[in-house]
Amino acid sequence: ICIIEYIFSYKIKIFPFLLTAIFLFEVTSNTLLSVKEINFPKKTSTYNETFNEIKKSFDYIEKEDPIINNFYRADTKTWTNINNPGTYNYNGLMVFDSLRNGSVMNFLKYYANYTVVDNCSTRFNDLNPVFTSILGFKYIVSQNIENHYDKINDELKYKVYKNQEYLSLGFMVNSEFKNIILSKKSPYENSNEIINNSLNKQINAIKKIYYTSIERYTEDEKYIYYDPKVGGSVIFEGIADKDCFIFANPNTNDSTINTLYINDKMVTYYDRNIPYLIEKGQKYTMKFITNSNKTNKNKLFIYLMDSNAYKSWIEEMKKNELEIIEYKKDNYIKGKINVTEDKKTLFTSIPYDDGWKVFVDGKKVKYNKLITAFIGIDLTEGEHIIEFKYIPKGLITGLIISFMSL
């Protein structure tokens, strides 16, 4: 009360300074508390070695393919901190951000099967080639054996792989693409929707394969039951009638184990979080083991993706890609696109945000939200120059208010 009386009794303008002091105290204390709560990796000699080895791999990528006036994404499943892309200076997915785009987070978690740790942080995986392609992941740094991607550096501890099927930041799709309704049930069925609607053709590159036998689990008409004294496994077996990717059952938890056999020989380096390519004529056997007390039989399936159909789709998408002319990180992108009669909607992997302003041939245009999270633009046939300019929503208003309050 005394302070308030002092403020209003004298003509000294200390009220703004008092507010500033309170604001700075709150921001500083909250920042210190936040940092204290974050579980950073301990900086041991192993941490330092891992950090340096990963840095070598991303430095190699930047040297071979500079990102000046260019745009692509890269990432690794090995994290050394919660903001790997900022640490190693690349465009990636493994990020912690309290202002994260909610639509993108929902897309990654529910529709694309990426790892969303919490409401603010994500982890990269290249499990589904369709999403790895449409999100523009050109390079993958990994200790795993990635049998689908091209290894371009074998000398580094963390190998550098190139995704030959990556797509540009933007590419043309059929107008039916705007009508896609994604399902929270399966990222693979969502992939079929994306492939089919981008061309307005029923390609159906991905199919569901149900189990062929159940070993040792107790079962009834609808469920299998786990007994720790007995164990058990669910078997998926067949002969590949074409080159295809095999994907483990997506309805999993921490107690689930998947083992892959090709021609009756176990794939010792199999990782359920990477796409595994099977050649035509090979026998595949996937053993699915779950320690869940009760599992619905309707959830006992895996997926196969026709590799040639997927690659043919990529080739079709590459015919009308956005050619990047100028790129200023975070706030300006300029590109050139050729629009044909059958594909008149530009899909971009730019997260939908009201702060973006889009210009086509110098004229400001409206844009749409595609597959729940990304910017799409309707275009007319012919060649166009597209510009994306970003100013955070409310920034100008905030600056004006701040200036007027001085």
Side-chain angles (χ1 to χ4, degrees):
I1 294 173
C2 292
I3 293 173
I4 294 173
E5 287 181 351
Y6 176 79
I7 291 171
F8 289 101
S9 297
Y10 295 91
K11 294 182 180 180
I12 302 173
K13 296 182 178 180
I14 66 169
F15 190 61
F17 296 100
L18 183 61
L19 284 177
T20 302
I22 294 171
F23 170 76
L24 291 174
F25 172 77
E26 183 178 356
V27 170
T28 303
S29 59
N30 284 336
T31 301
L32 291 174
L33 286 171
S34 297
V35 171
K36 185 178 179 181
E37 291 295 320
I38 295 174
N39 185 23
F40 288 104
K42 294 180 180 179
K43 289 192 174 182
T44 61
S45 58
T46 303
Y47 170 88
N48 290 330
E49 180 185 353
T50 302
F51 178 93
N52 291 329
E53 292 297 333
I54 294 177
K55 186 175 186 303
K56 288 177 185 177
S57 298
F58 282 106
D59 287 347
Y60 171 82
I61 293 172
E62 174 61 22
K63 181 181 177 181
E64 295 297 314
D65 193 358
I67 207 160
I68 298 174
N69 286 334
N70 188 11
F71 184 92
Y72 57 80
R73 292 185 175 97
D75 224 319
T76 175
K77 291 187 282 289
T78 304
W79 69 286
T80 54
N81 64 55
I82 53 178
N83 276 303
N84 263 13
T87 302
Y88 300 111
N89 193 31
Y90 66 88
N91 296 313
L93 188 65
M94 192 180 294
V95 175
F96 174 91
D97 186 354
S98 59
L99 300 177
R100 194 79 166 164
N101 186 306
S103 295
V104 173
M105 295 294 278
N106 286 334
F107 170 81
L108 295 174
K109 181 177 182 178
Y110 294 114
Y111 304 118
N113 202 32
Y114 283 95
T115 304
V116 176
V117 181
D118 49 45
N119 290 330
C120 298
S121 58
T122 57
R123 299 287 181 269
F124 170 76
N125 70 58
D126 57 334
L127 175 60
N128 189 329
V130 172
F131 290 114
T132 305
S133 295
I134 68 171
L135 295 180
F137 284 100
K138 188 176 182 180
Y139 297 104
I140 295 163
V141 173
S142 177
Q143 279 190 304
N144 296 324
I145 298 176
E146 310 263 356
N147 82 328
H148 165 54
Y149 303 112
D150 292 344
K151 189 188 298 181
I152 61 173
N153 188 304
D154 196 25
E155 298 176 0
L156 299 168
K157 182 175 181 179
Y158 286 83
K159 313 304 181 189
V160 178
Y161 293 87
K162 184 175 181 179
N163 176 20
Q164 299 291 358
E165 281 76 50
Y166 92 101
L167 291 167
S168 169
L169 183 66
F171 53 92
M172 299 304 301
V173 294
N174 189 275
S175 297
E176 287 298 315
F177 197 87
K178 293 183 291 185
N179 300 323
I180 291 178
I181 299 176
L182 297 180
S183 165
K184 290 186 178 182
K185 296 180 180 179
S186 169
Y188 305 108
E189 291 171 28
N190 288 334
S191 297
N192 260 342
E193 286 294 305
I194 287 171
I195 292 174
N196 293 343
N197 284 278
S198 62
L199 295 174
N200 196 22
K201 296 178 181 178
Q202 292 301 307
I203 297 175
N204 296 324
I206 302 173
K207 62 181 179 179
K208 186 184 292 186
I209 305 294
Y210 283 94
Y211 64 91
T212 50
S213 61
I214 294 174
E215 296 180 348
R216 298 193 305 280
Y217 287 113
T218 302
E219 60 178 301
D220 58 26
E221 188 177 337
K222 289 185 176 181
Y223 299 96
I224 62 171
Y225 302 89
Y226 170 71
D227 182 344
K229 296 179 181 179
V230 179
S233 58
V234 180
I235 309 298
F236 307 87
E237 195 168 74
I239 304 294
D241 59 355
K242 58 190 69 176
D243 292 352
C244 59
F245 297 105
I246 186 169
F247 302 107
N249 186 291
N251 300 292
T252 59
N253 52 45
D254 292 337
S255 63
T256 301
I257 301 172
N258 290 274
T259 308
L260 177 64
Y261 297 80
I262 300 297
N263 293 335
D264 297 322
K265 183 178 180 181
M266 186 173 76
V267 180
T268 56
Y269 57 84
Y270 175 68
D271 181 344
R272 60 166 285 104
N273 290 317
I274 63 174
Y276 190 87
L277 187 62
I278 301 173
E279 296 177 2
K280 179 180 179 180
Q282 287 185 325
K283 176 185 176 183
Y284 64 86
T285 305
M286 177 79 77
K287 288 190 176 182
F288 171 79
I289 301 172
T290 178
N291 297 339
S292 297
N293 292 332
K294 179 180 177 181
T295 304
N296 193 314
K297 287 183 176 180
N298 288 335
K299 294 185 177 181
L300 298 178
F301 54 81
I302 61 175
Y303 287 98
L304 296 180
M305 178 192 288
D306 183 338
S307 171
N308 292 327
Y310 159 69
K311 290 180 179 180
S312 296
W313 170 70
I314 290 292
E315 289 175 5
E316 188 63 34
M317 294 299 97
K318 282 182 174 291
K319 290 178 181 178
N320 303 92
E321 285 187 297
L322 183 69
E323 178 187 341
I324 304 297
I325 299 173
E326 186 176 355
Y327 166 57
K328 295 178 182 177
K329 199 164 188 178
D330 298 330
N331 67 352
Y332 183 76
I333 303 166
K334 183 178 182 180
K336 181 171 64 175
I337 190 77
N338 183 45
V339 182
T340 53
E341 184 180 1
D342 58 330
K343 291 181 285 188
K344 291 187 177 180
T345 296
L346 174 64
F347 168 83
T348 76
S349 56
I350 301 172
Y352 185 96
D353 188 292
D354 290 336
W356 283 105
K357 300 292 184 288
V358 179
F359 300 83
V360 176
D361 300 326
K363 296 180 180 179
K364 185 179 175 181
V365 299
K366 294 181 180 180
Y367 50 90
N368 306 309
K369 182 184 285 190
L370 299 182
I371 54 174
T372 77
F374 302 100
I375 288 178
I377 310 163
D378 292 327
L379 297 171
T380 57
E381 195 172 344
E383 192 172 280
H384 299 283
I385 298 296
I386 316 293
E387 293 177 277
F388 302 87
K389 300 177 182 180
Y390 185 74
I391 300 177
K393 187 179 180 181
L395 175 63
I396 302 300
T397 304
L399 290 174
I400 293 172
I401 293 172
S402 298
F403 179 77
M404 292 177 65
S405 65
L406 294 176

